[in-house]
Amino acid sequence: MPLYGGIEAGGTKFVCAVGTGPQDIRAEVRFPTTTPQETLQRAVDFFRAQEALLGEPLTAVGVASFGPVDLIPDSPTYGFITSTPKPGWRNVDVVGLLRYALGIPVGFDTDVNGAALAEGLWGAAQGLDTFIYLTIGTGIGGGGMVGGNLIHGLLHPEMGHLRIPHDRERDPFEGCCPYHGDCLEGLASGPALEARWGVRAEHLPPDHPAWDLEAEYLALALHNLVCVLSPQRVILGGGVMKQEHLFPRIRTRLRSLLNGYIPVPALLTQEIETYVVPPALGDRAGVLGALALAMRVPTG
Ligand code: ADP
Ligand code: ZN
């Protein structure tokens, strides 16, 4: 069985793993995201050390990256992290640097497409060909598959920046997206919760009014996503979704917003409990996604 490497490239930390799948992770390491040179070098050093230790070469590596990233195969900046506000990381040729240093094919996609791929192969979306994965954390991002293909296009989806109704009487908070103010991310990300309520999201008790509002925004976004993509399932991950009580609130609100319009049991009945779900791979979706991207890249 060929051995693969995966890099979950996050804005605050990198997680690298070597293995063949979720049941066979041979080694894993995490370190903070510093400069591109230093951070990517640490990843390369880890893979080299593992190859030596295991006595086996890696067949390919995959990178599930924070973005925006260039995924257009014939673009001169394919494989770059492009217009990120993260200092030092603008226009960094991640794929090129890794391919040069390791001499093997490099799979590359967004962190959320990677997580979606892993959930599709090994987690909560097994057997489905059209589904989405949203992460609600420091930002809000979404990826997924349509008809068995990871969603790409002009660039890649930016589901976190959906515009949703914002009742300023109920919620005077103006939103914190630097580009749009009160887009979904501006209203419902972890930092939005903290800015609105003055405490970190993890310190808001379950009976705090923050959570009904949060469920409202996420249900509105899901309403739109369900109408556009017709996903067979929706996976919600990220730090904010550690608040498990959000799931029943979001499901109930999504059902009432859709108002019976889409005639499938998953949206009409209790079956919605299997429709809006947490990631089965939990916090491992990211790095397993990177590994899955490596397994899909053409080799040889
Ligand atoms: P990142 O998005 O940076 O990869 P996370 O998905 O962990 O990382 O998201 C971090 C955000 O999630 C922070 O804004 C934090 O306040 C929030 N968060 C983390 N844990 C919890 C929790 N248990 N409950 C609510 N919010 C949380
Ligand atoms: Zn925005």
Side-chain angles (χ1 to χ4, degrees), residues 142-223:
M145 287 195 143
V146 169
N149 293 308
L150 288 171
I151 313 174
H152 297 140
L154 183 63
L155 197 57
H156 48 75
E158 288 288 0
M159 301 182 199
H161 298 267
L162 284 169
R163 298 282 191 175
I164 51 169
H166 176 197
D167 177 349
R168 285 174 189 268
E169 261 173 48
R170 179 177 177 192
D171 175 24
F173 177 60
E174 68 275 19
C176 63
C177 173
Y179 287 88
H180 316 115
D182 63 350
C183 67
L184 177 64
E185 180 173 297
L187 290 173
S189 61
L193 284 158
E194 184 173 348
R196 180 188 292 108
W197 302 106
V199 280
R200 284 184 68 83
E202 47 271 61
H203 300 316
L204 291 164
D207 60 356
H208 193 283
W211 298 118
D212 271 336
L213 189 65
E214 181 72 5
E216 174 76 13
Y217 289 143
L218 293 172
L220 284 163
L222 292 190
H223 177 130

Side-chain angles (χ1 to χ4, degrees), residues 7-8 64 111 114-115 118 133 282-291:
I7 304 177
E8 178 187 5
D111 42 11
Y133 177 99
D283 291 338
R284 316 212 20 87
V287 70
L288 290 173
L291 209 64

Side-chain angles (χ1 to χ4, degrees), residues 137-139 190-191 200-202 211 238-240 242-243:
T138 306
R200 284 184 68 83
E202 47 271 61
W211 298 118
V240 173
K242 300 252 163 78
Q243 302 286 325

Side-chain angles (χ1 to χ4, degrees), residues 5 9 26 87 102 122 170 177 191 195 199 237 239 250 255 261 270:
R26 312 277 178 89
L102 293 166
W122 304 306
R170 179 177 177 192
C177 173
V199 280
I250 293 166
R255 245 172 91 178
Y261 184 66
Q270 278 303 323

